[in-house]
Amino acid sequence: MKQYRVLITDHLSEDGIEVLSRSRDIDIDIKAGIKNDELKLIIGNYDAIITRSGTTITEDLIENPGRLKIIGRAGVGVDNIDIEAASKKGIIVMNAPTGNTLAATELTMGIMLAAARKIPLANDSLKSGKWDRKRFMGIELYNKVLGIVGLGRIGSNVAIRAKSFGMKVIAYDPYIKKSKADSLGVKLYDRLEDLLKEVDIITFHTPLTAATKNMITAKEIALMKDNVIFVNCARGGIVNENDLYEALKSGKVFAAGVDVFEEEPPKSSKLLELENVFATPHIGANTMEGQEAVSRIICEQVVNALHGRPYQNAVNIPFMKSQLTENLQLYFSLTEKIGKLAAQIAKGRPEGIKIVMIGKNFEEDLCERKFDVPFSYQPFTIAGLKGFLGVYIQESVTYINAPYLAKDRNITVEETKTDQYDKFNDLILFVLKTDIEELSIAGTVFSDKLGRIVLLDRFHLDVIPEGTFLHFRIFDRPGIIGKVGTILGNHRINISGLSVSRQHTGEEVAFVSVDDPIGEEVLSEILAIDGMIEAKVIEL
Ligand code: NAD
Ligand code: MLT
């Protein structure tokens, strides 16, 4: 049997299937249209599943994920996948967001023109033997105000095309930079209501999220001018279908072009009864080019992910370690070690973790905000959580599920950025709050490209966090460290490094790195030394 098994549950263009078959270690099964009951019984036998919107990946379906590691969506929208459930199981959810951008853009323009000029009606009328030119009086796009809600890939491409028609383009998208809108020649509005009052035509290009569902209801439509045209090629439910129906019927809204529905296929959508609704059956992405692209992109990503190579477009992991600079990768690994150390030396039940990113190194926002996922932490926060929780939790902790596992355990997570701290230019500070103490550990990377732990509360240290350590706190008295060395030597445990720090409080903290394991018996001898406050074996 081949090493990896991939299941395709939807109609996928051959281009991607060819990509998969070029990998000799991948076995491909195609079961387009498989029902969830049957799928549930076999899903755990596959390493990856690839779908379009035909399969709804529910929590129940992946309850026992078996060997499933990847869910690939050949397209943009991942609203048919329970991302939280997948993330909790450590399953990567990936999509192919760029492949059908132009397909959806061009359908948007097509539907907009169809609605403005009633082209489908005119076509039907002519074919039914009529020559009725008066009936098909339309509206020109030229000089009209187009409001784009969601100025991402498709929204931006619609803006470019609309401008070439001589339209005035305005947009509402609270998550993009003003400079992006400026570069497109689009006026960005801070409030949706202000945009609604201005538009002659409105088009939607956002994902369906809690914030965008029913974004437009009768209340919003009432703010708009009369005779506006609505276009929705994004997702059904962004515009409330019933309220749009009433507005179209009363003549408040001139026409609507709709490719997507609250329920698909739409069994009882009243919109389809109206003459001024121009509808298509969710074909935004259906071009030869678009389907080839999404199929190839998702299959290439799945192949790379299965083989441990970098891949793009993971939806539930907001960054790729391989895309960080070499220096930031060192900080990433260091933060994971700091989290691991914190979990081993902390006392009490964890309540909160704060990651403070200090210095110019961390100025850039490394996490592309994903709107379908609840967490969009910086990579260092995720690394710290993974390191920390990996010590506590028996089940496997990954960069994907770490934020969910923290949330499940009611551990609050906070991240902040600040300028220089103490004598360090760049520093990662990990602050752990438990029910009985607050512990701070900080690390930095020096020019030798080695990450070091440099602070433990107020103690200054120099520890390269790799391997086995004896960590202890003692009273600041002569001879104690010597006794520790003697005990380790007696048990033929070789010391490879030592970092000691003291405070005016009369305490010292030490990390002794050792080449050999330290057993319980040795630790008991060390704990029995007079002046020893505490001692622990730490694995980093
Ligand atoms: P994208 O991620 O590039 O753009 C989405 C934009 O929506 C982003 O800029 C984001 O900031 C914005 N946004 C998110 N929440 C918002 C909110 N509450 N208010 C305003 N703006 C908000 O995605 P894209 O590739 O442009 O695709 C957009 C959507 O189109 C997809 O999510 C998908 O649902 C839909 N789509 C449909 C078809 C089809 O067949 N009809 C094809 C492709 C895509
Ligand atoms: C998408 O989100 O990519 C589109 O809705 C297209 C599709 O599902 O085929």
Side-chain angles (χ1 to χ4, degrees), residues 105-117:
T105 301
E106 290 184 6
L107 188 82
T108 303
M109 297 311 293
I111 282 195
M112 198 185 298
L113 285 163
R117 302 299 296 272

Side-chain angles (χ1 to χ4, degrees), residues 100 152-154 173-175 205 207 212 215 233 235 259 282 284-285:
N100 56 31
R153 282 172 295 262
I154 299 170
D173 187 330
Y175 305 113
H205 301 287
T212 62
M215 194 179 211
C233 287
R235 281 293 180 267
D259 184 45
H282 199 146

Side-chain angles (χ1 to χ4, degrees), residues 234-380:
R235 281 293 180 267
I238 296 174
V239 180
N240 182 283
E241 260 176 39
N242 263 328
D243 293 359
L244 179 61
Y245 168 81
E246 295 298 340
L248 282 157
K249 207 168 155 220
S250 71
K252 163 84 183 167
V253 170
F254 178 77
V258 188
D259 184 45
V260 285
F261 298 85
E262 283 172 7
E263 184 190 20
E264 291 185 0
K267 290 194 196 89
S268 56
S269 175
K270 289 198 282 183
L271 288 180
L272 297 177
E273 295 165 10
L274 298 174
E275 216 185 39
N276 51 348
V277 169
F278 302 92
T280 43
H282 199 146
I283 56 166
N286 280 19
T287 60
M288 303 292 274
E289 298 86 343
Q291 284 313 303
E292 279 166 23
V294 290
S295 173
R296 189 175 21 78
I297 293 169
I298 200 68
C299 292
E300 281 169 0
Q301 289 177 185
V302 166
V303 169
N304 284 339
L306 286 175
H307 291 116
R309 295 194 294 263
Y311 53 88
Q312 286 187 310
N313 303 318
V315 172
N316 54 352
I317 176 158
F319 65 91
M320 300 301 289
K321 188 180 173 195
S322 56
Q323 284 166 3
L324 300 178
T325 62
E326 188 196 359
N327 188 42
L328 291 181
Q329 286 197 31
L330 293 169
Y331 274 102
F332 182 85
S333 305
L334 174 64
T335 316
E336 189 167 340
K337 294 285 180 150
I338 295 177
K340 210 170 165 185
L341 172 61
Q344 291 175 79
I345 62 177
K347 297 180 194 74
R349 294 171 199 280
E351 290 181 344
I353 288 173
K354 184 159 94 178
I355 302 286
V356 189
M357 290 155 269
I358 299 157
K360 290 208 173 339
N361 243 326
F362 307 106
E363 266 176 359
E364 199 191 331
D365 188 356
L366 296 165
C367 160
E368 191 194 325
R369 207 180 142 73
K370 302 274 167 93
F371 303 97
D372 301 296
V373 293
F375 305 108
S376 47
Y377 296 130
Q378 295 296 302
F380 313 100

Side-chain angles (χ1 to χ4, degrees), residues 374-421:
F375 305 108
S376 47
Y377 296 130
Q378 295 296 302
F380 313 100
T381 305
I382 291 179
L385 289 178
K386 176 173 177 284
F388 181 80
L389 294 166
V391 173
Y392 274 88
I393 302 168
Q394 294 305 308
E395 66 192 272
S396 66
V397 181
T398 67
Y399 299 122
I400 298 170
N401 64 12
Y404 295 89
L405 294 171
K407 185 169 172 251
D408 277 354
R409 280 154 186 80
N410 284 342
I411 300 173
T412 58
V413 179
E414 200 188 325
E415 56 178 18
T416 54
K417 291 184 183 188
T418 172
D419 297 336
Q420 203 178 346
Y421 172 84

Side-chain angles (χ1 to χ4, degrees), residues 108-109 111-117 138-149 158 162 165 167-171 195-205 224-232 253-257:
T108 303
M109 297 311 293
I111 282 195
M112 198 185 298
L113 285 163
R117 302 299 296 272
I139 290 177
E140 285 178 14
L141 298 190
Y142 178 72
N143 240 348
K144 296 291 182 310
V145 178
L146 174 68
I148 299 181
V149 180
V158 168
F165 273 80
M167 301 184 87
K168 292 176 188 148
V169 185
I170 62 177
L195 174 134
L196 294 176
K197 289 176 192 156
E198 299 290 318
V199 297
D200 299 306
I201 300 177
I202 187 162
T203 181
F204 297 87
H205 301 287
M224 301 171 82
K225 295 189 229 171
D226 291 344
N227 283 325
V228 168
I229 294 177
F230 270 70
V231 178
N232 186 1
V253 170
F254 178 77

Side-chain angles (χ1 to χ4, degrees), residues 343-347 469-473 518 523 526-527 534-538:
Q344 291 175 79
I345 62 177
K347 297 180 194 74
F469 291 84
L470 174 72
H471 160 60
F472 53 82
R473 275 177 199 256
I518 302 174
L523 191 62
I526 291 168
L527 279 165
E534 62 178 2
K536 268 184 175 167
V537 179
I538 307 283

